[in-house]
Amino acid sequence: MFQRLKSIKYGEIECMIKYPFNDPTEEVFESWKKDFFKLKEVKSFDVYLTGGFAEKLSNNNIKTYDVDIVLTGCNDNKKIEKLIYEGTKLGIEKY
């Protein structure tokens, strides 16, 4: 299957992506995670991996299309919004 560029908008995030999306792999997740944890706002939160991708790490037969995280420990809406924006943008544009 060939990939083509597609314009998408997710809230305030707007970018061009290769479409269709690639399913997440452990290698891509580890790269995304390194970039995500470099964001200064992350220091205010506990970050948990959850959902189908977390299960896929222990059972490669599980099919999943995204990675879900939970942020806890801080109720600063500006920091939450920044992390959601930057994390999503990293995943869409870079990975």
Side-chain angles (χ1 to χ4, degrees), residues 22-49:
N22 294 322
D23 294 343
T25 64
E26 187 172 354
E27 295 77 23
V28 169
F29 171 71
E30 289 298 327
S31 296
W32 173 88
K33 183 174 77 172
K34 285 179 187 174
D35 287 344
F36 182 75
F37 276 93
K38 289 178 186 175
L39 300 171
K40 70 177 184 175
E41 291 81 8
V42 168
K43 295 176 184 138
S44 301
F45 295 89
D46 294 318
V47 182
Y48 298 94
L49 178 64

Short mmCIF file of all heavy atoms in Angstrom, two decimals, residues 22-49:
data_model
loop_
_atom_site.label_atom_id
_atom_site.label_comp_id
_atom_site.label_asym_id
_atom_site.label_seq_id
_atom_site.Cartn_x
_atom_site.Cartn_y
_atom_site.Cartn_z
N ASN A 22 1.02 4.51 10.26
CA ASN A 22 1.68 3.25 10.60
C ASN A 22 1.24 2.84 12.00
O ASN A 22 1.07 3.70 12.86
CB ASN A 22 3.20 3.40 10.57
CG ASN A 22 3.72 3.67 9.17
OD1 ASN A 22 3.21 3.12 8.20
ND2 ASN A 22 4.70 4.52 9.06
N ASP A 23 1.05 1.56 12.22
CA ASP A 23 0.73 1.09 13.57
C ASP A 23 1.95 1.31 14.46
O ASP A 23 3.09 1.21 14.01
CB ASP A 23 0.38 -0.40 13.55
CG ASP A 23 -0.91 -0.68 12.79
OD1 ASP A 23 -1.69 0.26 12.55
OD2 ASP A 23 -1.13 -1.85 12.43
N PRO A 24 1.73 1.61 15.74
CA PRO A 24 2.88 1.84 16.62
C PRO A 24 3.70 0.57 16.86
O PRO A 24 3.15 -0.52 16.95
CB PRO A 24 2.23 2.32 17.92
CG PRO A 24 0.84 1.79 17.88
CD PRO A 24 0.46 1.73 16.43
N THR A 25 5.01 0.76 16.92
CA THR A 25 5.91 -0.33 17.25
C THR A 25 6.65 0.04 18.53
O THR A 25 6.68 1.21 18.92
CB THR A 25 6.96 -0.56 16.14
OG1 THR A 25 7.79 0.61 16.05
CG2 THR A 25 6.30 -0.85 14.80
N GLU A 26 7.27 -0.95 19.15
CA GLU A 26 8.01 -0.67 20.38
C GLU A 26 9.17 0.30 20.10
O GLU A 26 9.43 1.20 20.90
CB GLU A 26 8.54 -1.98 20.98
CG GLU A 26 9.18 -1.78 22.32
CD GLU A 26 9.53 -3.09 23.02
OE1 GLU A 26 9.18 -4.18 22.52
OE2 GLU A 26 10.16 -3.01 24.09
N GLU A 27 9.85 0.13 18.98
CA GLU A 27 10.97 1.00 18.64
C GLU A 27 10.52 2.45 18.46
O GLU A 27 11.16 3.39 18.96
CB GLU A 27 11.66 0.51 17.36
CG GLU A 27 12.32 -0.84 17.49
CD GLU A 27 11.34 -2.03 17.44
OE1 GLU A 27 10.23 -1.90 16.89
OE2 GLU A 27 11.69 -3.09 17.97
N VAL A 28 9.42 2.65 17.73
CA VAL A 28 8.91 4.01 17.52
C VAL A 28 8.43 4.60 18.85
O VAL A 28 8.68 5.77 19.14
CB VAL A 28 7.79 4.01 16.46
CG1 VAL A 28 7.07 5.34 16.42
CG2 VAL A 28 8.36 3.67 15.09
N PHE A 29 7.76 3.80 19.66
CA PHE A 29 7.29 4.29 20.96
C PHE A 29 8.46 4.74 21.81
O PHE A 29 8.40 5.80 22.45
CB PHE A 29 6.48 3.21 21.69
CG PHE A 29 6.19 3.59 23.11
CD1 PHE A 29 5.28 4.60 23.40
CD2 PHE A 29 6.83 2.96 24.16
CE1 PHE A 29 5.01 4.96 24.71
CE2 PHE A 29 6.58 3.32 25.48
CZ PHE A 29 5.67 4.32 25.75
N GLU A 30 9.54 3.96 21.87
CA GLU A 30 10.71 4.32 22.68
C GLU A 30 11.31 5.64 22.20
O GLU A 30 11.73 6.47 23.02
CB GLU A 30 11.74 3.20 22.68
CG GLU A 30 11.32 1.98 23.46
CD GLU A 30 11.09 2.24 24.95
OE1 GLU A 30 11.78 3.09 25.53
OE2 GLU A 30 10.20 1.58 25.51
N SER A 31 11.35 5.86 20.91
CA SER A 31 11.87 7.13 20.36
C SER A 31 10.94 8.29 20.74
O SER A 31 11.39 9.35 21.16
CB SER A 31 12.01 7.04 18.84
OG SER A 31 12.97 6.08 18.49
N TRP A 32 9.62 8.09 20.55
CA TRP A 32 8.65 9.12 20.93
C TRP A 32 8.78 9.42 22.42
O TRP A 32 8.78 10.60 22.82
CB TRP A 32 7.22 8.65 20.60
CG TRP A 32 6.18 9.60 21.10
CD1 TRP A 32 5.68 10.68 20.44
CD2 TRP A 32 5.53 9.57 22.37
NE1 TRP A 32 4.76 11.33 21.23
CE2 TRP A 32 4.65 10.66 22.42
CE3 TRP A 32 5.60 8.72 23.49
CZ2 TRP A 32 3.84 10.93 23.53
CZ3 TRP A 32 4.80 9.00 24.60
CH2 TRP A 32 3.94 10.09 24.61
N LYS A 33 8.89 8.39 23.24
CA LYS A 33 8.96 8.56 24.70
C LYS A 33 10.17 9.41 25.09
O LYS A 33 10.05 10.31 25.94
CB LYS A 33 9.01 7.20 25.38
CG LYS A 33 9.01 7.26 26.89
CD LYS A 33 8.92 5.88 27.50
CE LYS A 33 10.25 5.18 27.43
NZ LYS A 33 10.30 3.91 28.18
N LYS A 34 11.31 9.17 24.47
CA LYS A 34 12.52 9.97 24.76
C LYS A 34 12.27 11.44 24.47
O LYS A 34 12.62 12.32 25.26
CB LYS A 34 13.71 9.46 23.96
CG LYS A 34 14.29 8.18 24.50
CD LYS A 34 15.47 7.72 23.65
CE LYS A 34 15.93 6.35 24.11
NZ LYS A 34 16.97 5.79 23.25
N ASP A 35 11.67 11.73 23.33
CA ASP A 35 11.36 13.12 22.98
C ASP A 35 10.32 13.72 23.92
O ASP A 35 10.44 14.87 24.35
CB ASP A 35 10.86 13.23 21.54
CG ASP A 35 11.96 13.05 20.51
OD1 ASP A 35 13.16 13.14 20.88
OD2 ASP A 35 11.63 12.82 19.34
N PHE A 36 9.29 12.95 24.23
CA PHE A 36 8.21 13.43 25.10
C PHE A 36 8.76 13.78 26.49
O PHE A 36 8.42 14.82 27.05
CB PHE A 36 7.11 12.37 25.19
CG PHE A 36 5.93 12.80 26.02
CD1 PHE A 36 5.02 13.72 25.52
CD2 PHE A 36 5.72 12.28 27.28
CE1 PHE A 36 3.93 14.12 26.27
CE2 PHE A 36 4.63 12.66 28.05
CZ PHE A 36 3.73 13.59 27.54
N PHE A 37 9.62 12.92 27.03
CA PHE A 37 10.14 13.16 28.38
C PHE A 37 11.16 14.29 28.43
O PHE A 37 11.56 14.72 29.51
CB PHE A 37 10.69 11.87 28.99
CG PHE A 37 9.62 11.05 29.63
CD1 PHE A 37 8.97 10.05 28.92
CD2 PHE A 37 9.23 11.27 30.94
CE1 PHE A 37 7.96 9.30 29.49
CE2 PHE A 37 8.22 10.53 31.53
CZ PHE A 37 7.58 9.54 30.80
N LYS A 38 11.56 14.83 27.30
CA LYS A 38 12.42 16.01 27.26
C LYS A 38 11.62 17.30 27.45
O LYS A 38 12.20 18.34 27.73
CB LYS A 38 13.18 16.08 25.93
CG LYS A 38 14.25 15.03 25.78
CD LYS A 38 14.92 15.14 24.42
CE LYS A 38 15.91 14.00 24.19
NZ LYS A 38 16.46 14.04 22.82
N LEU A 39 10.30 17.22 27.27
CA LEU A 39 9.46 18.41 27.44
C LEU A 39 9.45 18.82 28.91
O LEU A 39 9.24 17.99 29.80
CB LEU A 39 8.03 18.14 26.96
CG LEU A 39 7.89 17.74 25.49
CD1 LEU A 39 6.47 17.27 25.19
CD2 LEU A 39 8.29 18.90 24.58
N LYS A 40 9.70 20.10 29.19
CA LYS A 40 9.85 20.54 30.59
C LYS A 40 8.60 20.32 31.43
O LYS A 40 8.69 20.06 32.62
CB LYS A 40 10.31 21.99 30.66
CG LYS A 40 9.27 23.00 30.23
CD LYS A 40 9.77 24.41 30.38
CE LYS A 40 8.65 25.37 30.01
NZ LYS A 40 9.01 26.75 30.26
N GLU A 41 7.43 20.38 30.82
CA GLU A 41 6.18 20.21 31.57
C GLU A 41 6.01 18.80 32.13
O GLU A 41 5.29 18.60 33.11
CB GLU A 41 4.97 20.56 30.68
CG GLU A 41 4.84 22.02 30.32
CD GLU A 41 5.74 22.44 29.16
OE1 GLU A 41 6.35 21.56 28.51
OE2 GLU A 41 5.82 23.64 28.91
N VAL A 42 6.66 17.83 31.54
CA VAL A 42 6.53 16.43 31.98
C VAL A 42 6.96 16.27 33.43
O VAL A 42 6.40 15.45 34.17
CB VAL A 42 7.34 15.48 31.06
CG1 VAL A 42 7.45 14.09 31.65
CG2 VAL A 42 6.70 15.40 29.70
N LYS A 43 7.90 17.10 33.89
CA LYS A 43 8.40 16.99 35.26
C LYS A 43 7.31 17.19 36.31
O LYS A 43 7.45 16.76 37.44
CB LYS A 43 9.53 17.99 35.48
CG LYS A 43 10.75 17.68 34.64
CD LYS A 43 11.82 18.73 34.80
CE LYS A 43 12.97 18.40 33.85
NZ LYS A 43 13.50 19.53 33.17
N SER A 44 6.22 17.81 35.93
CA SER A 44 5.11 18.08 36.86
C SER A 44 4.14 16.91 36.97
O SER A 44 3.20 16.97 37.77
CB SER A 44 4.33 19.32 36.40
OG SER A 44 5.17 20.44 36.35
N PHE A 45 4.32 15.86 36.16
CA PHE A 45 3.34 14.79 36.06
C PHE A 45 3.94 13.41 36.32
O PHE A 45 5.13 13.19 36.12
CB PHE A 45 2.72 14.78 34.66
CG PHE A 45 1.91 15.99 34.34
CD1 PHE A 45 2.51 17.10 33.77
CD2 PHE A 45 0.56 16.01 34.61
CE1 PHE A 45 1.77 18.23 33.47
CE2 PHE A 45 -0.20 17.14 34.32
CZ PHE A 45 0.41 18.25 33.75
N ASP A 46 3.08 12.49 36.71
CA ASP A 46 3.35 11.07 36.62
C ASP A 46 2.71 10.64 35.31
O ASP A 46 1.57 10.99 35.02
CB ASP A 46 2.72 10.31 37.78
CG ASP A 46 3.35 10.67 39.12
OD1 ASP A 46 4.58 10.80 39.19
OD2 ASP A 46 2.59 10.83 40.10
N VAL A 47 3.45 9.89 34.50
CA VAL A 47 2.96 9.47 33.18
C VAL A 47 2.85 7.96 33.16
O VAL A 47 3.81 7.25 33.50
CB VAL A 47 3.92 9.95 32.06
CG1 VAL A 47 3.39 9.56 30.69
CG2 VAL A 47 4.15 11.45 32.14
N TYR A 48 1.67 7.46 32.78
CA TYR A 48 1.42 6.02 32.74
C TYR A 48 1.02 5.59 31.34
O TYR A 48 0.21 6.25 30.69
CB TYR A 48 0.30 5.64 33.72
CG TYR A 48 0.62 5.96 35.15
CD1 TYR A 48 0.23 7.18 35.71
CD2 TYR A 48 1.33 5.06 35.92
CE1 TYR A 48 0.54 7.47 37.03
CE2 TYR A 48 1.64 5.35 37.25
CZ TYR A 48 1.24 6.56 37.79
OH TYR A 48 1.56 6.86 39.09
N LEU A 49 1.57 4.48 30.90
CA LEU A 49 1.19 3.86 29.63
C LEU A 49 0.02 2.93 29.91
O LEU A 49 0.04 2.15 30.87
CB LEU A 49 2.37 3.08 29.06
CG LEU A 49 2.15 2.32 27.76
CD1 LEU A 49 1.83 3.30 26.61
CD2 LEU A 49 3.37 1.50 27.42
#
